[in-house]
Amino acid sequence: AVTACGSTTVRRTFDDADSSVDNLGDAQGTTDGPSLLDPDSSSTGGCPEGSETRITGKVFDPAGKNPLYNIQVFVPSGDLPEIKVGLADPPAGAAQCLGQTCDSEVQNPLAAGLTNTKGEFELKGPRLFGGKDVPLVMQIGKWRRKIVIPEVKSCQENKLPAADTHLPKNGREGDMPQIMMALGSYDALECLLYGIGVDNDEFEAGYTSPSKHVHVFKGIGGGSQVNGQPVPDVNSTWDAGYKMQKFDIAMLACEGTPDGSNKPTSFNSMKDYTSLFGGRVFATHYHSQWAFKSGWGETVIRSTGGTTGSNPYPINTSFPKGQAFSDWLSAVGATTSPGKISLSSPSTYQGGLASPSVGQEWIGSGASAKYISFNTPVGVPVAQQCGRFVISDVHAAGDGSGGKTLPN
């Protein structure tokens, strides 16, 4: 969900009943079945009662391996709106983004739904009829893929093959967000993207054009080449928020040190990127310093006092998306203990959420919280928030790139 670049705005068809908590969107606030969003879905569309025309299936990551939660699935009624490249400027005269964010508006679909924690969806309703060459769209934020169903048969279930219902692995299959990847010596985040199925040829060294979607830069100890091209230092890209405006997401792999020599003195660039432009940051381990060394200070997370905690760590199920996260982790086999998960080599670099809290714990709690998020700008109403900062005090993908040539 973090790297999905999902919307924090109110969507015209996909209502976010839980936006005050975490802004990820769940029309019904439930996790035990596919969400059906058409307000007239009780109608059978001319079919006998109990024999509606239905489209069912499961949505997977680009690799087709892991089912995905909270994916918008819909039959469009016309052409899809263009997804713009990069992030917009703040409104004229505004000092922050005021709620604009990644494109995920769905207008007037013929049928629409959200996937549950098992990735399942079901579409039906009075405007869904049988026919040939029926378009179907799967979308979360700027990840969007459109397929064509050869035939939808009336008054029965039309179950789609799992091989057809995955998010795009490259720009030829659909739309994808622009991702900045800062390589480091102690976390191979690039392997996370390879692992979910993003094609190798979507990675490029630095930024030349939006035709590629993963733009790789070198942090301390990071890899030296990507697809045969030398990787540029990240210093002159993350030294100002506006320089990252062309990226929807910034993924910051742990550098193995809190060394600030390659970072701006104020550490404000990530704050500006998320608060002015609505950027999304996923930061592991030592990169949490972008939060507490910036103008936010320790109003979001503490810089000291972190404790290791112990396995298995609690998953915060006290809010709907936390429960959904727990259910999803069980569904994909990441844990066999509902509500708990075992972590490898957690850090104690940050000390947990500040009090009063403006963020959300997901894994661990208090001084041993290991997975934390907060929305930006901090301290404004939810409707005016547009960005997100996620901190993982655990290396997300094992050892770092360490000067290696990628992919490897």
Side-chain angles (χ1 to χ4, degrees):
V2 171
T3 60
C5 197
S7 176
T8 59
T9 56
V10 175
R11 298 169 290 190
R12 292 188 182 179
T13 301
F14 296 86
D15 295 327
D16 184 353
D18 192 36
S19 62
S20 63
V21 176
D22 59 34
N23 299 324
L24 285 175
D26 180 359
Q28 314 288 324
T30 61
T31 62
D32 58 350
S35 298
L36 188 68
L37 300 174
D38 191 309
D40 299 316
S41 60
S42 59
S43 172
T44 62
C47 296
E49 189 68 35
S51 301
E52 302 96 332
T53 302
R54 294 179 293 143
I55 301 173
T56 63
K58 295 178 72 171
V59 178
F60 295 86
D61 62 13
K65 295 179 180 178
N66 295 306
L68 300 178
Y69 167 65
N70 202 44
I71 305 298
Q72 304 166 350
V73 185
F74 61 96
V75 176
S77 59
D79 293 337
L80 298 175
E82 177 188 4
I83 291 181
K84 297 177 182 178
V85 175
L87 302 172
D89 289 325
Q96 54 197 30
C97 50
L98 297 180
Q100 84 235 22
T101 186
C102 308
D103 300 64
S104 61
E105 186 175 90
V106 179
Q107 300 180 357
N108 195 31
L110 298 180
L114 292 172
T115 58
N116 64 13
T117 56
K118 297 178 182 179
E120 300 165 333
F121 67 88
E122 178 182 66
L123 305 184
K124 60 182 180 179
R127 297 202 295 163
L128 181 62
F129 297 95
K132 295 183 182 295
D133 298 330
V134 176
L136 181 129
V137 178
M138 297 157 285
Q139 180 175 0
I140 183 165
K142 290 189 176 182
W143 294 90
R144 184 175 70 183
R145 181 166 178 247
K146 176 182 175 182
I147 63 173
V148 176
I149 305 170
E151 182 179 11
V152 171
K153 296 182 179 180
S154 298
C155 304
Q156 67 181 66
E157 178 183 7
N158 296 265
K159 188 173 183 178
L160 303 184
D164 294 346
T165 52
H166 60 82
L167 292 184
K169 59 175 68 77
N170 54 53
R172 298 181 299 277
E173 287 192 341
D175 298 286
M176 298 169 63
Q178 295 289 314
I179 300 172
M180 182 189 93
M181 171 70 69
L183 302 177
S185 62
Y186 270 71
D187 197 358
L189 275 185
E190 67 279 2
C191 294
L192 179 64
L193 294 181
Y194 291 137
I196 66 170
V198 176
D199 275 357
N200 289 352
D201 63 6
E202 285 294 336
F203 291 73
E204 72 161 353
Y207 181 92
T208 59
S209 81
S211 62
K212 302 291 186 180
H213 292 89
V214 184
H215 308 276
V216 183
F217 298 85
K218 184 178 180 180
I220 296 173
S224 59
Q225 288 193 335
V226 170
N227 290 327
Q229 298 298 313
V231 178
D233 287 338
V234 73
N235 310 28
S236 60
T237 298
W238 68 13
D239 63 343
Y242 73 88
K243 293 184 179 181
M244 296 188 291
Q245 190 177 353
K246 54 182 167 284
F247 307 117
D248 301 298
I249 301 166
M251 299 183 70
L252 313 179
C254 177
E255 298 173 304
T257 172
D259 185 352
S261 62
N262 65 339
K263 302 170 184 66
T265 303
S266 69
F267 277 82
N268 272 336
S269 51
M270 294 298 165
K271 176 178 180 289
D272 292 342
Y273 170 63
T274 58
S275 299
L276 293 176
F277 305 111
R280 306 300 177 93
V281 172
F282 181 75
T284 67
H285 197 183
Y286 283 119
H287 280 302
S288 61
Q289 65 183 320
W290 287 101
F292 58 73
K293 289 184 179 179
S294 73
W296 287 316
E298 300 204 16
T299 61
V300 180
I301 65 168
R302 298 184 178 96
S303 62
T304 59
T307 59
T308 303
S310 60
N311 280 318
Y313 286 81
I315 301 167
N316 185 357
T317 59
S318 66
F319 62 108
K321 286 297 169 5
Q323 181 64 61
F325 182 47
S326 177
D327 293 345
W328 178 79
L329 288 171
S330 294
V332 299
T335 180
T336 57
S337 302
K340 299 178 181 179
I341 189 168
S342 292
L343 303 176
S344 177
S345 302
S347 166
T348 59
Y349 183 57
Q350 53 81 29
L353 290 173
S355 182
S357 173
V358 296
Q360 181 68 68
E361 296 172 342
W362 293 80
I363 298 176
S365 62
S368 61
K370 301 305 172 190
Y371 200 90
I372 294 169
S373 72
F374 60 93
N375 295 337
T376 61
V378 170
V380 303
V382 169
Q384 294 180 20
Q385 292 180 318
C386 56
R388 171 167 289 192
F389 203 117
V390 177
I391 295 169
S392 172
D393 219 2
V394 178
H395 294 157
D399 295 335
S401 52
K404 299 173 184 175
T405 297
L406 305 173
N408 58 42

